[in-house]
Amino acid sequence: MVDGPMMKSLPAERFEGPCRRILWPAAALLLLAVGACMPVFGATETGATHALLINGGSRPEINYLSHLHHLQDMVALLRERGVPPGRIHIFSADGEDPAPDLAARDTLPPQFWLLAGTVVGRKLRPRTEVVNTHWEGHPLKPASRAALKEWFETRGRTLVPGDRLLLFVTDHGVENSDDPDNGAIALWQEELPVSELKALLALLPRGVVTVMVMSQCYSGTFASAIYDGVSPEPTGGVCGFFSTERDLPAYGCYPEGRDRDRIGHAFHFIDALRRHPAAEDAHLEVLLGDGTPDVPLRTSDAYLERLVSSAAGARGAAFDTLVDSSLAEAWRDRAAWEPEIRLLDRLGEAYGTFSPRSLAEIAALNRELPDLSERMKTYAERWKVAFNSVKVENLRSFVGERPEWKERITDESIAKLDADGRAALILELLPQLEKHAREHPERWK
């Protein structure tokens, strides 16, 4: 997405995702192809692919199990693509330290919605436990600045021109409101800002291309890694794809197991890479298909924003005005922009809105969204209350017809159960509760 003055007027509501996703393709028509990234994999390429995978975790209680699953899925993908274990390097939390460093809880059965929102459901929800990260056959290095620096100074220097480094980050991010282009990755009990990552990447031999895939909060801040701080133009050695903009949190961190929902940018990007040889194509699939509030973007998007902002300043024009005048000129030859028009159409269809042709149209829609959002929140809350009332009534009726369950689901009885006992109770209760609900057609409907 282009993150310019027109974006700053958007209210910080959860409907931002669709609006911001639609905005970038419209503005992208300002330029002919702005190179994004070479493929991460490909049979016709020279050089080798190396992978540096990072899950900093920050601290034990928020180093969620989903982060580990992101790493595991990415390693599985790399191995499928022929990248040998010796070229895959994993930095996760405290590394091989046996101290507990991972927040995890059991996956809930699909039927648990029958209890969600009830007192019994709240008592039976799995409790988060902090355990030690263990990944058989995969040595883990600590996600620390010192360990990363050592890798770049040693192993990183052995890469050769033509090699590609996939830098994958699934983690928590840190916003920098004073300098939005210098946010940070949350490593293990410390941080790695953009400026320090750029210094590490500079240690790689010239001719090595780094492709970043980052899913942490505020990950868009790392788009500025394409500049060396000296030239106003990108170095050409770094590009990347990010879950969201530099001023927005990301979605997809949770302590449940892998099968919960597989939600968020990292899961979707990895899945898309299984269908596409190039990260650019995977990004476009995620842009269209990821229904979370994330706002996927590329380094080329950030580069385009800088170019357009500079041109607007030089002409003394507002950013939106320059964009829309350029778009109006482009639309005179619609055939030349057919792929982009189709993308706009698909984005509009995916998010239930129109296919925009100007930023002015986006701004008009944006003015309507706050009122619509408030109405939808009201309706959603009413439905939630009604839905929970039906579930409470179903549970009350169930216990009335099966009195043997009455004592088993009291607060006192549940409190005596350990994790295994609660899981066993859930697995026994839910099928019977669903059967009871289905036996009352009006309630089930």
Side-chain angles (χ1 to χ4, degrees), residues 145-163:
R145 291 156 70 184
L148 288 168
K149 187 172 186 289
E150 180 184 11
W151 186 91
F152 277 95
E153 290 179 338
T154 55
R155 188 58 181 268
R157 292 186 184 275
T158 67
L159 275 62
V160 299
D163 282 355

Side-chain angles (χ1 to χ4, degrees), residues 155-404:
R155 188 58 181 268
R157 292 186 184 275
T158 67
L159 275 62
V160 299
D163 282 355
R164 292 162 302 284
L165 175 65
L166 171 63
L167 177 59
F168 176 68
V169 178
T170 168
D171 192 68
H172 299 293
V174 182
E175 183 182 20
N176 186 340
S177 55
D178 294 329
D179 185 359
D181 288 328
N182 195 35
I185 301 167
L187 297 179
W188 187 245
Q189 301 180 348
E190 58 184 7
E191 299 174 0
L192 180 71
V194 176
S195 58
E196 290 191 24
L197 177 63
K198 289 167 66 173
L200 294 177
L201 295 177
L203 297 175
L204 297 173
R206 184 179 295 275
V208 174
V209 172
T210 299
V211 181
M212 301 177 289
V213 177
M214 296 186 168
S215 291
Q216 76 274 18
C217 293
Y218 316 109
S219 53
T221 185
F222 282 86
S224 61
I226 63 176
Y227 303 103
D228 61 9
V230 178
S231 170
E233 290 300 312
T235 63
V238 181
C239 61
F241 305 86
F242 313 98
S243 59
T244 193
E245 297 188 51
R246 60 189 183 180
D247 60 344
L248 289 177
Y251 201 77
C253 293
Y254 45 87
E256 286 86 347
R258 175 186 277 106
D259 298 328
R260 176 177 180 257
D261 283 319
R262 295 184 61 81
I263 50 179
H265 181 264
F267 278 132
H268 289 177
F269 205 102
I270 294 168
D271 287 345
L273 277 174
R274 288 195 164 93
R275 292 180 287 276
H276 302 284
E280 168 73 1
D281 295 326
H283 164 78
L284 290 176
E285 179 177 319
V286 174
L287 180 71
L288 287 163
D290 182 2
T292 71
D294 286 344
V295 186
L297 72 152
R298 308 162 294 186
T299 43
S300 56
D301 302 345
Y303 176 57
L304 174 60
E305 180 202 359
R306 179 177 289 198
L307 290 179
V308 177
S309 296
S310 176
R315 300 181 190 187
F319 187 95
D320 297 41
T321 301
L322 176 57
V323 170
D324 281 355
S325 64
S326 299
L327 287 172
E329 181 178 347
W331 297 141
R332 293 173 186 168
D333 184 9
R334 289 178 178 258
W337 303 104
E338 186 62 26
E340 287 77 14
I341 292 173
R342 287 200 300 268
L343 177 58
L344 289 170
D345 292 343
R346 292 169 66 193
L347 281 164
E349 181 180 357
Y351 295 100
T353 184
F354 60 89
S355 179
R357 296 296 182 266
S358 69
L359 298 188
E361 292 177 335
I362 293 287
L365 173 62
N366 185 58
R367 288 191 291 270
E368 300 173 4
L369 285 175
D371 288 342
L372 175 61
S373 177
E374 288 303 315
R375 290 199 301 272
M376 295 303 293
K377 286 178 184 177
T378 300
Y379 298 150
E381 186 60 31
R382 291 175 181 174
W383 276 109
K384 180 180 177 181
V385 170
F387 191 31
N388 285 345
S389 296
V390 176
K391 289 187 284 187
V392 169
E393 171 57 24
N394 186 58
L395 184 60
R396 184 201 63 77
S397 172
F398 171 79
V399 172
E401 294 185 18
R402 295 170 174 78
E404 69 274 14

Side-chain angles (χ1 to χ4, degrees), residues 2 50 69 122 160 163 177 183 207 229 236 331 372 403 408 425 445:
V2 172
H50 303 257
H69 288 158
R122 288 192 290 272
V160 299
D163 282 355
S177 55
W331 297 141
L372 175 61
R408 296 185 65 185
L425 181 65
K445 182 178 178 180

Side-chain angles (χ1 to χ4, degrees), residues 14-222:
R14 289 298 82 194
F15 54 71
E16 280 183 324
C19 283
R20 292 199 181 192
R21 289 191 198 194
I22 291 170
L23 188 58
W24 155 244
L29 302 183
L30 284 166
L31 299 178
L32 293 171
V34 178
C37 267
M38 64 166 60
V40 177
F41 315 96
T44 62
E45 295 168 1
T46 59
T49 295
H50 303 257
L52 184 62
L53 315 184
I54 301 174
N55 163 42
S58 185
R59 58 184 189 275
E61 60 272 18
I62 62 170
N63 179 31
Y64 296 129
L65 182 58
S66 57
H67 295 160
L68 176 62
H69 288 158
H70 295 154
L71 295 179
Q72 292 172 334
D73 285 7
M74 179 57 84
V75 169
L77 170 68
L78 291 166
R79 297 294 292 116
E80 291 168 13
R81 292 294 188 88
V83 180
R87 297 209 301 264
I88 302 173
H89 311 274
I90 308 169
F91 294 77
S92 181
D94 63 6
E96 296 296 334
D97 190 319
D101 65 346
L102 185 70
R105 64 176 175 233
D106 292 334
T107 304
L108 291 168
Q111 298 160 306
F112 194 82
W113 65 266
L114 286 158
L115 288 173
T118 69
V119 173
V120 174
R122 288 192 290 272
K123 297 291 183 181
L124 286 175
R125 283 193 68 86
R127 298 164 190 170
T128 301
E129 298 183 57
V130 179
V131 298
N132 179 48
T133 301
H134 178 69
W135 189 357
E136 187 69 35
H138 294 82
L140 304 177
K141 302 178 179 64
S144 65
R145 291 156 70 184
L148 288 168
K149 187 172 186 289
E150 180 184 11
W151 186 91
F152 277 95
E153 290 179 338
T154 55
R155 188 58 181 268
R157 292 186 184 275
T158 67
L159 275 62
V160 299
D163 282 355
R164 292 162 302 284
L165 175 65
L166 171 63
L167 177 59
F168 176 68
V169 178
T170 168
D171 192 68
H172 299 293
V174 182
E175 183 182 20
N176 186 340
S177 55
D178 294 329
D179 185 359
D181 288 328
N182 195 35
I185 301 167
L187 297 179
W188 187 245
Q189 301 180 348
E190 58 184 7
E191 299 174 0
L192 180 71
V194 176
S195 58
E196 290 191 24
L197 177 63
K198 289 167 66 173
L200 294 177
L201 295 177
L203 297 175
L204 297 173
R206 184 179 295 275
V208 174
V209 172
T210 299
V211 181
M212 301 177 289
V213 177
M214 296 186 168
S215 291
Q216 76 274 18
C217 293
Y218 316 109
S219 53
T221 185
F222 282 86

